[in-house]
Amino acid sequence: GESGYDRDSFLRCLTRPEPMGELVTEGMETVRPGEAAGRLLGGTLTQLVASLGTPYAFAPPPGYVLLLDEVGERPYRVDRMLTQLIASGVLGRAKAVVCGELPGCDEQTGWPTARGVVADLLAEFPGPVLTGVPTGHANGAALTVPLGVTVRVVAGREVHLVVTEGAVK
């Protein structure tokens, strides 16, 4: 229902030919500072790593922005899947990484957290890294974020995800 998605971003994405512009929410955090732009591609870690080694493998072009989402996977599994993406070379082609909220992915004891795992594994990533973007698997209202369009990621004291290309042609 309507409480599960952000109505404004949904309408801006699907009904207007101009770019959506800035998507900002309170939960977005900088893991690695920087600024980068590229085509937004990605999905859940589970689906991306399951595709590797198949004729349908996730094979993004150099210079893309990786969107990662996941729900209900324990931190050790997030670690394994992200490590697999790194080892496959998929992450090496990305200019920036944007992670969802990762709901249900923390240990019940509160440590380790999925965001902590992401921060540790991407500590040396050369571009900006954001976490806490309420995408498809969100704790509250999910932003509608179009895949395949150009975005700009700004990570620092100010945190922004800016959609710079219209999703509707």
Side-chain angles (χ1 to χ4, degrees), residues 37-93:
R39 190 157 311 282
L40 185 66
L41 302 169
T44 65
L45 274 165
T46 301
Q47 293 301 316
L48 296 178
V49 299
S51 75
L52 298 176
T54 74
Y56 311 102
F58 180 62
Y64 78 108
V65 173
L66 177 60
L67 174 68
L68 293 176
D69 201 359
E70 195 53 76
V71 62
E73 294 290 352
R74 294 177 63 191
Y76 79 90
R77 292 177 56 86
V78 171
D79 182 296
R80 179 188 52 76
M81 290 185 282
L82 190 51
T83 298
Q84 188 175 354
L85 274 186
I86 293 167
S88 74
V90 166
L91 197 66
R93 295 192 296 263

Side-chain angles (χ1 to χ4, degrees), residues 26-159:
E26 285 193 24
M28 292 168 55
E29 299 175 354
T30 296
V31 171
R32 294 259 321 140
E35 188 170 333
R39 190 157 311 282
L40 185 66
L41 302 169
T44 65
L45 274 165
T46 301
Q47 293 301 316
L48 296 178
V49 299
S51 75
L52 298 176
T54 74
Y56 311 102
F58 180 62
Y64 78 108
V65 173
L66 177 60
L67 174 68
L68 293 176
D69 201 359
E70 195 53 76
V71 62
E73 294 290 352
R74 294 177 63 191
Y76 79 90
R77 292 177 56 86
V78 171
D79 182 296
R80 179 188 52 76
M81 290 185 282
L82 190 51
T83 298
Q84 188 175 354
L85 274 186
I86 293 167
S88 74
V90 166
L91 197 66
R93 295 192 296 263
K95 281 186 165 179
V97 179
V98 176
C99 293
E101 293 179 334
L102 309 174
C105 292
D106 297 340
E107 287 295 338
Q108 290 182 351
T109 60
W111 189 87
T113 66
R115 285 190 193 185
V117 167
V118 169
D120 288 347
L121 288 173
L122 299 182
E124 301 301 317
F125 183 77
V129 178
L130 299 179
T131 62
V133 181
T135 54
H137 296 105
N139 286 316
L143 292 174
T144 299
V145 181
L147 294 176
V149 299
T150 304
V151 298
R152 185 168 52 92
V153 177
V154 179
R157 280 184 287 163
E158 302 256 339
V159 180

